[in-house]
């Protein structure tokens, strides 16, 4: 594996370096350079790098959003037809392993500081990294992944997805008492997620654990752990708690979607016919927020997913609806986990009997998820009318389909998370894109391209263990 994946990034290594030549101490001294960096300093770099990678149009839109048919590209649409960029798959791997390595270093720095709160934050970041990695690729290096230079191991074994998820849950279990300890503080100016509020990090840890347990719930009995989280009172209780990066109003610190589509003039990203038709058919008030009227017709038009012809006749740039202005704002948040998503996860958990409350709880969480999504999109006043419509009004006989479909709708422009949850639930039922390079919607990403040569023995063992390194190989929690 590339060394950058398993050791701290060079910037942090450089700031820790201390010269040994005492003859030139006074000449070389720079009072502006820290000898030991504070652990809080690592939060911003790690959080921003992950968010930027997830919300890059060449990641979350070209792949996640087109694969779940929220977005369709009128041109340059190979990724939509299931030919992802190799650089995208490689970058996701490298960025998340680097962020996990940085979280390891943050934990060690916080330990030296006696700062339990920052140790907890470091564990949450590390857990999030590995949850994403295993959701993208399946079996990945975990137990040996971050040993690197300290242990002389640059060819780590690949662990099964079950082992990785057990590790993710364990990390979060370790993090929560540290965050609750009150021992230590976080520099609010360096914490771009929660401005130093340990109680918010606690809620993120608990809510991320809930999502992680639901992701593996078809494979393991997670009922008692889920109920314990509900009883704890530590889950998100409003939008104020959710984990999201709030971007700034101008590049290079704006939302990557804005930077590419608005600043970069890349207008090929349009609404998919699947989403537009569903929103129209259900009189969904989010349509006017998610989409802009097509220039040529002043109506809402989605492009059919796929098709080799580019642009497809009748679906040129001005024939199809662009992404709505709200979702092209520079300050659009980059979500790691939203309150709306948690509500739908809780509705599903209640429907499956993992948590208590029965049908009343299912309906309550389901309707709260819809209400919250509508309110976030500025159309909360339409809830009563929308919720009374056939197909939307709660029906216990169709509960899982309704929950999954509403979650899919609410995760608009949260590309990879929308894809991951669609892979898990199968709702709504989607027809693969036309003229695809493969005949089905991808189940995973391919491993980082140098793994076969740099970590070949373990790479081959992973392929033998999980299945071919192809987009169509289902990962453990899908089987």
């Amino acid at each position: 594996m590339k060394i950058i994946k398993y050791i701290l990034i060079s910037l942090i290594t450089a700031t820790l370096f201390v010269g040994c030549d005492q003859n030139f101490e006074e000449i070389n001294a720079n009072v502006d350079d820290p000898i030991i960096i504070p652990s809080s300093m690592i939060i911003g770099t790690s959080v921003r790098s992950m968010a930027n990678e997830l919300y890059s149009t060449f990641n979350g839109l070209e792949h996640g959003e087109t694969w779940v048919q929220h977005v369709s590209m009128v041109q340059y649409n190979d990724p939509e037809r299931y030919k992802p960029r190799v650089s995208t798959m490689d970058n996701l791997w490298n960025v998340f392993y680097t962020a996990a390595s940085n979280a390891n270093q943050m934990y060690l720095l916080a330990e030296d500081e006696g700062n339990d709160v920052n140790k907890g934050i470091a564990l949450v970041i590390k857990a999030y990294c590995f949850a994403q990695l295993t959701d993208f690729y399946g079996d990945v290096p975990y137990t040996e992944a971050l040993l690197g230079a300290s242990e002389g191991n640059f060819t780590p074994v690949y662990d099964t997805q079950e082992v990785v998820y057990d590790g993710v849950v364990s990390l979060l279990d370790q993090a929560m008492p540290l965050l609750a300890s009150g021992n230590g503080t976080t520099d609010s100016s360096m914490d771009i997620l929660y401005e130093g509020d340990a109680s918010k990090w606690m809620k993120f840890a608990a809510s991320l654990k809930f999502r992680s347990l639901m992701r593996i719930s078809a494979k393991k009995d997670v009922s008692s752990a889920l109920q314990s989280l509900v009883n704890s009172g530590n889950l998100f209780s409003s939008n104020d708690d959710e984990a999201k990066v709030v971007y700034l109003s101008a590049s290079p610190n704006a939302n990557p979607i804005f930077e590419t589509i608005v600043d970069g003039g890349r207008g090929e990203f349009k609404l998919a016919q699947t989403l537009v038709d569903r929103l129209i058919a259900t009189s969904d008030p989010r349509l006017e927020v998610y989409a802009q009227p097509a220039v040529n017709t002043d109506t809402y038009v989605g492009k059919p997913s796929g098709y080799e012809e580019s642009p497809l006749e009748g679906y040129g740039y001005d024939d199809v609806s662009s992404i709505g202005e709200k979702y092209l704002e520079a300050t659009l948040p980059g979500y790691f986990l939203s309150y709306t998503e948690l509500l739908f996860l809780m509705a599903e958990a209640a429907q499956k009997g993992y948590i208590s409350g029965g049908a009343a709880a299912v309906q309550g969480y389901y309707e709260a998820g819809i209400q919250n999504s509508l309110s976030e999109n500025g159309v909360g006043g339409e809830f009563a009318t929308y919720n009374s419509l056939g197909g939307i009004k709660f029906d216990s006989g169709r509960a899982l389909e309704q929950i999954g479909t509403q979650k899919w709708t609410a995760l608009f422009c949260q590309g990879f998370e929308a894809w991951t949850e669609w892979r898990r639930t199968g709702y709504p039922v989607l027809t693969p894109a036309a003229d695809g390079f493969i005949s089905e919607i991808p189940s995973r990403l391919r491993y980082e391209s140098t793994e076969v040569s740099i970590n070949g023995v373990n790479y081959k063992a992973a392929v033998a263990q999980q299945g071919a390194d192809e987009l169509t190989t289902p990962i453990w929690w899908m089987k």
Side-chain angles (χ1 to χ4, degrees), residues 432-446:
D435 299 337
F437 289 92
I438 57 177
S439 60
E440 61 189 81
I441 298 171
S443 295
R444 62 182 290 276
L445 301 178
R446 287 192 291 270

Side-chain angles (χ1 to χ4, degrees), residues 30-51:
N30 183 344
V31 296
D32 293 324
D33 283 343
I35 295 175
I36 299 176
I37 67 169
S39 57
S40 297
M41 185 176 289
I42 298 176
I43 299 173
T45 298
S46 298
V47 167
R48 181 60 64 88
S49 67
M50 292 187 296

Side-chain angles (χ1 to χ4, degrees), residues 211-284:
R211 182 169 80 181
S212 299
L213 292 171
M214 285 300 295
R215 204 142 281 171
I216 62 175
S217 60
K219 292 295 182 180
K220 305 188 77 168
D221 182 359
V222 296
S223 299
S224 60
L226 289 169
Q227 187 63 56
S228 179
L229 287 168
V230 174
N231 295 343
S232 73
N234 289 325
L235 296 173
F236 293 162
S237 59
S238 74
N239 293 342
D240 291 338
D241 298 331
E242 54 195 9
K244 61 190 175 190
V245 173
V246 178
Y247 285 99
L248 304 183
S249 59
S251 300
N253 297 311
N255 187 293
I257 297 173
F258 164 86
E259 292 183 355
T260 299
I261 295 178
V262 179
D263 267 7
R266 297 294 297 269
E268 65 265 28
F269 299 95
K270 304 290 187 178
L271 269 287
Q273 185 179 70
T274 302
L275 178 62
V276 171
D277 285 358
R278 184 173 293 272
L279 296 176
I280 291 173
T282 57
S283 300
D284 196 310

Side-chain angles (χ1 to χ4, degrees), residues 272-459:
Q273 185 179 70
T274 302
L275 178 62
V276 171
D277 285 358
R278 184 173 293 272
L279 296 176
I280 291 173
T282 57
S283 300
D284 196 310
R286 287 168 291 194
L287 173 62
E288 296 181 4
V289 185
Y290 286 1
Q292 300 180 51
V295 173
N296 283 345
T297 61
D298 200 32
T299 59
Y300 295 104
V301 180
K303 175 190 167 289
S305 293
Y307 291 98
E308 184 175 2
E309 182 182 347
S310 181
L312 180 65
E313 184 178 357
Y315 293 95
Y317 282 79
D318 290 339
D319 300 316
V320 185
S321 291
S322 297
I323 294 172
E325 292 181 0
K326 171 183 171 63
Y327 287 87
L328 298 180
E329 291 176 355
T331 54
L332 180 75
Y335 287 92
F336 294 136
L337 177 55
S338 71
Y339 179 47
T340 296
E341 181 181 0
L342 177 65
L343 288 168
F344 286 126
L345 288 169
M346 294 176 77
E348 179 188 348
Q351 174 65 21
K352 292 180 174 178
Y354 299 155
I355 61 175
S356 62
V362 180
Q363 182 173 354
Y365 292 132
Y366 167 74
E367 291 179 351
I370 296 174
Q371 174 74 77
N372 203 63
S373 177
L374 295 183
S375 295
E376 284 184 307
N377 285 284
V379 290
E382 302 295 320
F383 171 74
T385 300
Y386 179 64
N387 190 53
S388 67
L389 298 174
I392 305 302
K393 185 177 181 180
F394 180 70
D395 178 352
S396 59
R398 299 178 52 236
L400 291 178
E401 178 188 355
Q402 288 182 313
I403 293 164
T405 300
Q406 282 295 329
K407 188 197 310 163
W408 170 82
T409 305
L411 286 172
F412 179 67
C413 275
Q414 296 181 48
F416 281 125
E417 186 59 22
W419 172 55
T420 295
E421 277 298 279
W422 177 83
R423 287 182 289 156
R424 187 180 69 82
T425 69
Y427 292 118
V429 175
L430 299 176
T431 300
D435 299 337
F437 289 92
I438 57 177
S439 60
E440 61 189 81
I441 298 171
S443 295
R444 62 182 290 276
L445 301 178
R446 287 192 291 270
Y447 289 125
E448 199 268 352
S449 57
T450 64
E451 281 292 285
V452 66
S453 56
I454 294 177
N455 194 21
V457 171
N458 292 314
Y459 166 86

